[in-house]
Amino acid sequence: MKSIVVSILFSIISVLSLSAAQVRVDACGTAPATVADTVAVDRGVAEVDAADAEAGKEPKKKRRGFWRQLFHGNEDHTFDKKFDVSFIASPSYTREASFGIGGLASGLYRLDRADSLMQPSDVSIVGNVALSGLYVVGVNGNNYFKGNRSRLAYDITFANKPLDFWGIDYDACVDNPAIDYTRSKISIDVQYFYTVFDGFKVGARADFSHAKISSIEDESYLQGQKRSYTFTGLGVSLQYDTRDFIPNPQRGVYVMADVTVYPEFMSNYDKTPIRTTFVFDFYQKLWSGGVIATDIYGRFNGKDSPWALREELGGGYRMRGYYAGRYIDNSIVSCQAELRQRIYKRIGCTVWGGCGTVFPRFKEFEWKNMLPSYGLGLRWEFKHRVNIRVDYGFGKHTSGFIFNINEAF
């Protein structure tokens, strides 16, 4: 718990320190409404600075900028800035990686700043290095093109992770003791969506991944599969999407069906796997600052899929509280409901509950294998509608912290 608190404090201090250097440019953090307001603000700042200078004090405009950033640093500046970006660097801790140092850059922008109806585009760059030997660099975001009819979504990750490993199917994960293995992975997932008519979109996907196990204590846990796989996939999707802001929706519906094919000639696997994904999300405001969010998720791969394409239960988005990869199998289903409540200014909290499981194929799905997931969390609005979240999740005989950016779904 102390490590999480320290991480949050360092994060806030880092953001405020970076913002303090911009105070002179941004004046009081918002643009004055008229020329008269501009003159009044400048005169007031100058008079206060002169009085402070005589008294040997730091000019109050800097202190005022610090406190304004603390309470109002989440204002939307995408209409008056080409690119509104903030940075964080702080100590970090996760169950999988132990202690380390993490960094984050998050930006919002608009290709058409005259269009007030289009939600802003977003981009995040995340990096982490841990004492365990883990290192991760990731870039993800959504780019909205002018006219608000098309969107480009991307998620790029480079990672090397020493992890615990239980096996590659549900039964093995239940029976086997944990062993150590180290896995590296490069993944590039790019999707383009075009709005056919209000809310309805068609999409195309290009997906590349290379996964390799560099060391493993017991080779039999792979059940005869290779240590390294490379896949290139092409997919299509249909969506109905009325979410108001993807990183942190407060209202709307998101329904998505996606089919991705990994041709044999574009991979180092002797078959052509097919992956099907289904998502249904719903967001509704309940009262002032309160939002209920629900998520139903399923991803299905064919029988005997290679481990690199299998689904991992746990992590920072679905089935929070479970070690990422604690349960692995060909397919996964999960559901969760979360109440999100703003407490004061930039601070909020959440509570959620849900369940899920992994399984080899539909006819072998068993309700008795459904696992619970529930927990609570804190939110800090790092930028306008972009939250840094600290969650503590509980599961079956397990629990753990999650420290991440943007909502879980």
Side-chain angles (χ1 to χ4, degrees):
M1 180 66 183
K2 290 182 180 178
S3 62
I4 298 297
V5 173
V6 170
S7 182
I8 296 173
L9 291 175
F10 268 73
S11 299
I12 294 173
I13 292 170
S14 299
V15 173
L16 297 178
S17 298
L18 287 164
S19 301
Q22 303 172 352
V23 169
R24 190 63 182 177
V25 175
D26 296 337
C28 294
T30 55
T34 65
V35 173
D37 291 337
T38 304
V39 173
V41 169
D42 289 343
R43 182 184 298 120
V45 169
E47 291 174 353
V48 170
D49 286 352
D52 283 349
E54 289 182 6
K57 298 178 182 178
E58 179 187 1
K60 284 188 176 180
K61 62 179 184 297
K62 294 183 179 179
R63 296 197 299 275
R64 183 166 60 250
F66 177 92
W67 290 110
R68 182 169 186 82
Q69 181 66 19
L70 178 61
F71 293 108
H72 301 285
N74 57 332
E75 293 171 347
D76 185 359
H77 291 289
T78 56
F79 290 106
D80 54 77
K81 292 182 178 180
K82 290 184 178 180
F83 191 62
D84 182 20
V85 63
S86 296
F87 305 87
I88 280 180
S90 71
S92 65
Y93 174 82
T94 65
R95 297 177 63 197
E96 294 84 359
S98 73
F99 291 94
I101 297 176
L104 162 70
S106 177
L108 298 174
Y109 62 96
R110 296 177 185 270
L111 294 184
D112 185 357
R113 286 188 283 168
D115 187 348
S116 61
L117 298 179
M118 181 173 63
Q119 61 179 286
S121 300
D122 65 276
V123 59
S124 297
I125 303 175
V126 181
N128 191 37
V129 178
L131 296 175
S132 65
L134 174 144
Y135 60 85
V136 178
V137 178
V139 181
N140 62 81
N142 297 277
N143 184 91
Y144 290 88
F145 295 95
K146 291 183 178 181
N148 200 25
R149 294 189 65 87
S150 57
R151 172 171 66 95
L152 181 70
Y154 49 92
D155 190 344
I156 304 170
T157 304
F158 303 86
N160 183 78
K161 298 181 178 181
L163 297 168
D164 292 338
F165 188 51
W166 290 265
I168 61 173
D169 62 50
Y170 180 88
D171 291 335
C173 291
V174 170
D175 297 333
N176 289 340
I179 62 171
D180 294 331
Y181 86 133
T182 299
R183 181 188 70 197
S184 59
K185 186 174 183 179
I186 302 172
S187 65
I188 303 173
D189 186 5
V190 180
Q191 301 179 70
Y192 176 81
F193 304 98
Y194 184 81
T195 302
V196 181
F197 53 93
D198 192 22
F200 288 91
K201 310 173 190 294
V202 295
R205 155 178 275 160
D207 178 9
F208 170 82
S209 65
H210 172 74
K212 179 181 179 180
I213 296 175
S214 57
S215 65
I216 185 170
E217 281 190 303
D218 188 343
E219 195 89 21
S220 68
Y221 276 46
L222 295 178
Q223 300 179 11
Q225 295 191 10
K226 296 189 298 184
R227 284 195 178 195
S228 176
Y229 287 101
T230 300
F231 290 98
T232 301
L234 301 173
V236 294
S237 66
L238 295 175
Q239 294 188 5
Y240 177 72
D241 189 358
T242 61
R243 293 172 295 177
D244 58 334
F245 186 54
I246 291 176
N248 180 13
Q250 295 183 1
R251 63 178 182 274
V253 176
Y254 175 60
V255 182
M256 189 274 287
D258 176 280
V259 177
T260 302
V261 179
Y262 299 89
E264 179 181 346
F265 71 90
M266 299 174 69
S267 309
N268 66 344
Y269 186 59
D270 59 0
K271 296 180 182 179
T272 299
I274 299 176
R275 167 181 285 172
T276 303
T277 306
F278 175 80
V279 180
F280 177 82
D281 293 343
F282 175 75
Y283 308 89
Q284 177 65 52
K285 288 187 175 182
L286 298 179
W287 48 71
S288 178
V291 174
I292 184 71
T294 59
D295 170 63
I296 300 174
Y297 175 81
R299 175 168 277 180
F300 313 102
N301 297 289
K303 184 183 179 182
D304 299 325
S305 294
W307 63 265
L309 288 183
R310 295 197 177 191
E311 303 306 318
E312 297 185 357
L313 184 145
Y317 298 92
R318 294 180 171 93
M319 300 302 290
R320 286 167 282 174
Y322 289 89
Y323 188 98
R326 176 61 183 87
Y327 297 92
I328 299 175
D329 216 320
N330 293 316
S331 302
I332 186 171
V333 292
S334 69
C335 62
Q336 56 184 328
E338 182 170 277
L339 176 62
R340 301 168 181 171
Q341 178 65 52
R342 183 180 294 272
I343 300 173
Y344 179 73
K345 299 291 185 181
R346 304 169 73 175
I347 307 299
C349 65
T350 64
V351 60
W352 81 86
C355 59
T357 190
V358 291
F359 54 96
R361 50 184 176 172
F362 277 113
K363 70 178 185 179
E364 296 179 55
F365 173 86
E366 297 188 47
W367 285 102
K368 67 178 182 179
N369 292 337
M370 291 294 285
L371 300 164
S373 170
Y374 55 96
L376 67 166
L378 290 174
R379 299 291 183 268
W380 179 57
E381 194 173 4
F382 172 53
K383 296 189 67 61
H384 181 65
R385 297 284 297 277
V386 176
N387 287 342
I388 287 179
R389 58 186 173 94
V390 180
D391 292 331
Y392 194 84
F394 299 87
K396 184 178 180 180
H397 310 307
T398 186
S399 63
F401 276 108
I402 301 99
F403 184 52
N404 216 323
I405 188 171
N406 295 330
E407 293 298 338
F409 61 94

